[in-house]
Amino acid sequence: MNETFHVTLIFAAYKDMGSAKYVLFTVVFLIYLASLLVSFSILLLIYLDISLHKPMFIFLFLLILNGVIGSTAVWPQVMLLLVTEVNTTSYEGCLFQFFLVGSYGGCNYTVLTVMAYDRYVSIFQPLQYHTIMTPQKVKQLCFAAYFVPATFLVGQVYLTTQISLCHDMIHKIFCDNFSIFSLSCVDRISHVSNVYGIFLLIGFGVLPVFLVFLSYLKIVYVTLNASSNSRKKAIETCTPHLIIFMNFSLVTFFAIIYNRVSDYLPRGVNVFVSINYVLIPPLMHPVIYGWKNKEIQRSLSKMWRKAIFTGSESVPRVDKLSKVIT
């Protein structure tokens, strides 16, 4: 194909699903809906409650929002393809989806790294915490955590557009860099694109894992020699973040391995990897880091009581007004 853009691509992965399509649609729909409900509940709670306008919850807000963007970039289209006979997408749409999913993965790591830094400062420099984590610095960290990986990914998308396409069948349920490259006329990725991809993997994958691992080693070393109360507080503070980070790292690792050996594995593995990479984490993050947080629970309880109290107070006013009118 000489004309790369304005090409229609076909998702071959949907052709042989049969009745399994409806089972997959039900699973995806329920998890995606639950993810949206939980995510927007936490986002709204953080936005409305001034007491939650702290660095930790601002970073959590960004993490959950990134999960919503990542899952929404994939699953509405997947559900549409599952229930219709149309299994095609445009090349431009495929590139855009690749950009959104790639940004989702990179931003997850950078935001989780920033959250680890926040926890590190709160444990090792509690008296200087508010001096270090100023509103201006929080804004800078949020900007860097989201827009730096997204900006670098634009370069990867550009390099991907430079390949010539000789095929139009995508053997995955959504678009990513590997699925687009598999459509190219060459068997090997270009040297520039390969080096740039390795740079992105190290900068937004390996480096965050190393930094977070290093920070937790120091936290564990210090807490072992601390009092039981300090140890308990450190565990309560760091455990949700560590669970989320380890889970996403494992999922990302398996996704990378799968992309390298996908030709030798059943197609069903693609669905399993996709669900664990772009569907489960956006649900787990607000549940583990949000609903399990004591401050979130207190804030939710406070707003719930306020809503009930306001509702009960409005009834006598209506009765009193009706008496005045009569």
Side-chain angles (χ1 to χ4, degrees), residues 61-202:
F61 186 98
L62 191 62
L63 180 69
I64 295 175
L65 182 62
N66 183 58
V68 171
I69 294 172
S71 60
T72 304
V74 172
W75 300 111
Q77 182 198 39
V78 169
M79 287 188 285
L80 181 64
L81 294 174
L82 286 170
V83 296
T84 63
E85 296 299 323
V86 180
N87 296 329
T88 61
T89 185
S90 65
Y91 181 66
E92 297 92 330
C94 199
L95 286 173
F96 186 60
Q97 188 176 59
F98 154 53
F99 169 75
L100 291 177
V101 174
S103 297
Y104 154 79
C107 293
N108 255 351
Y109 268 122
T110 51
V111 174
L112 286 169
T113 304
V114 168
M115 295 175 82
Y117 171 72
D118 175 68
R119 295 299 84 204
Y120 182 89
V121 174
S122 69
I123 291 174
F124 288 100
Q125 296 178 294
L127 298 179
Q128 293 82 31
Y129 178 79
H130 295 290
T131 304
I132 298 173
M133 300 300 292
T134 61
Q136 183 64 26
K137 186 168 186 178
V138 170
K139 291 178 184 178
Q140 292 171 351
L141 288 171
C142 288
F143 181 85
Y146 200 83
F147 288 101
V148 170
T151 302
F152 275 98
L153 199 69
V154 170
Q156 183 67 62
V157 174
Y158 170 76
L159 291 173
T160 302
T161 62
Q162 301 307 298
I163 65 174
S164 299
L165 303 185
C166 285
H167 311 282
D168 61 0
M169 303 287 283
I170 297 176
H171 296 284
K172 292 187 177 182
I173 61 175
F174 65 87
C175 297
D176 59 16
N177 193 40
F178 286 96
S179 62
I180 297 175
F181 179 76
S182 67
L183 308 178
S184 67
C185 300
V186 295
D187 295 330
R188 292 185 178 182
I189 194 169
S190 69
H191 180 69
V192 174
S193 184
N194 192 35
V195 171
Y196 195 82
I198 293 173
F199 167 75
L200 291 180
L201 179 62
I202 294 174

Side-chain angles (χ1 to χ4, degrees), residues 2-54:
N2 296 324
E3 293 294 332
T4 301
F5 286 92
H6 309 297
V7 171
T8 299
L9 304 178
I10 303 170
F11 286 103
Y14 294 92
K15 288 188 174 181
D16 302 326
M17 286 189 178
S19 59
K21 281 185 176 183
Y22 304 104
V23 177
L24 180 58
F25 174 87
T26 303
V27 171
V28 170
F29 175 76
L30 292 176
I31 298 178
Y32 178 66
L33 181 62
S35 173
L36 290 183
L37 290 174
V38 175
S39 295
F40 280 112
S41 297
I42 299 293
L43 291 175
L44 189 62
L45 193 65
I46 295 174
Y47 177 78
L48 293 176
D49 194 342
I50 299 177
S51 67
L52 297 179
H53 293 182
K54 303 174 183 178

